[in-house]
Amino acid sequence: PLLESLLAADTDGDGLPDGAQPNSLGPPWYGVVPWLAGTTLAAWEAGALLADRSGDPRMAARCRERAAKGRAA
């Protein structure tokens, strides 16, 4: 579910969250927030490893694709 929520937050498919980003500081943020972008890239990499270990090559490939796009953005 966490990776699916990250996929949903990436509304333009560039690997970085740009949809509504809930936070503990007030209303949701929109657009690319640098520190959230960095943690999202780490989450894509970790998600790919976890998907590999759990036998889900499709999700691993999706995570790697988003990580590559996010690094290039």
Side-chain angles (χ1 to χ4, degrees):
L2 172 63
L3 295 175
E4 295 296 336
S5 68
L6 288 177
L7 287 168
D10 178 16
T11 60
D12 61 6
D14 69 354
L16 302 174
D18 45 38
Q21 299 166 58
N23 63 81
S24 61
L25 302 175
W29 295 335
Y30 294 87
V32 176
V33 179
W35 67 272
L36 292 177
T39 56
T40 298
L41 292 175
W44 290 134
E45 297 292 343
L49 292 173
L50 289 170
D52 282 337
R53 290 183 184 227
S54 64
D56 189 349
R58 182 173 171 258
M59 180 56 83
R62 289 175 75 188
C63 289
R64 286 193 178 91
E65 176 186 358
R66 292 294 173 105
K69 286 181 176 182
R71 284 191 302 274

